[in-house]
Amino acid sequence: MYQAEILSQTLEHITRSIDYPHVQFHFATVTNGNIALLQLIQQAGWRLHANTPGDVFLGLKAGFTSDRIVYTGSNLNRADIQQLIEWKIDRFNFDSLSQLQDFCEYSRSQPRSIGAEIGLRLNSPELTGDSRIGVRPAEFEKANEIAQQQGLRITGLHFYWSLD
């Protein structure tokens, strides 16, 4: 059970604690997709980090606009890409070259140009631990080639790291 006032105060405290003009705070819906909770986070000016199309749906329902949602998900397929584009999601972190390729191919098939901010989910065992998910540094050049063929640039890097 959450107490709205305490949560709002905590979000405000976190927001004020980092004095940097370009900071963006993203709440990961994977931790809790409760609509009332998401509404409080949205009202605090935070953005949303979604891991599934369902997370995006909940975020939109809670009042987040599509430009305040970043999508980072595993096993993203063409149907998911189509749905996310229909919801006007334009910030993605792709976890494989094939995901990036599918996105670019879908984008090419559309009558209107799809402008997107693209990041890669890093897979670097010395930083992120051993994982099957993510793009390895040796694949960055190929990822850039794929994006450039669609007129896109890779502008971000997303990763989790293990403190073990």
Side-chain angles (χ1 to χ4, degrees):
M1 175 180 237
Y2 291 96
Q3 293 182 347
E5 185 60 31
I6 292 172
L7 178 59
S8 293
Q9 289 172 359
T10 301
L11 292 169
E12 184 179 338
H13 174 75
I14 293 168
T15 303
R16 282 192 329 250
S17 294
I18 299 178
D19 187 24
Y20 178 72
H22 304 293
V23 72
Q24 294 178 4
F25 294 95
H26 292 78
F27 178 79
T29 54
V30 72
T31 61
N32 191 329
N34 178 289
I35 297 287
L37 174 74
L38 294 177
Q39 287 171 332
L40 287 171
I41 291 164
Q42 185 271 334
Q43 290 163 6
W46 284 38
R47 296 171 182 241
L48 198 66
H49 180 263
N51 290 91
T52 69
D55 292 339
V56 172
F57 176 81
L58 291 173
L60 294 170
K61 193 143 181 83
F64 285 89
T65 55
S66 60
D67 64 327
R68 298 187 63 81
I69 299 173
V70 63
Y71 184 88
T72 304
S74 300
N75 302 314
L76 183 64
N77 60 41
R78 287 187 93 132
D80 294 333
I81 291 168
Q82 180 178 356
Q83 180 62 69
L84 293 166
I85 296 296
E86 286 175 12
W87 283 332
K88 298 183 174 34
I89 302 303
D90 64 359
R91 290 186 174 103
F92 295 89
N93 290 310
F94 295 112
D95 70 8
S96 68
L97 294 179
S98 62
Q99 236 183 37
L100 175 61
Q101 186 70 48
D102 284 347
F103 176 82
C104 288
E105 287 174 9
Y106 179 78
S107 295
R108 274 194 296 273
S109 74
Q110 297 308 295
R112 65 175 176 82
S113 175
I114 296 173
E117 291 184 26
I118 295 175
L120 300 175
R121 186 168 176 182
L122 177 65
N123 180 348
S124 180
E126 58 277 0
L127 293 174
T128 60
D130 193 23
S131 175
R132 63 176 176 74
I133 298 170
V135 179
R136 294 187 179 267
E139 298 173 302
F140 285 3
E141 188 173 330
K142 180 64 176 171
N144 276 319
E145 287 174 21
I146 293 168
Q148 287 172 357
Q149 288 172 356
Q150 184 58 31
L152 300 169
R153 284 184 45 225
I154 295 172
T155 59
L157 190 62
H158 173 85
F159 62 94
Y160 303 100
W161 78 89
S162 173
L163 297 175
D164 294 340

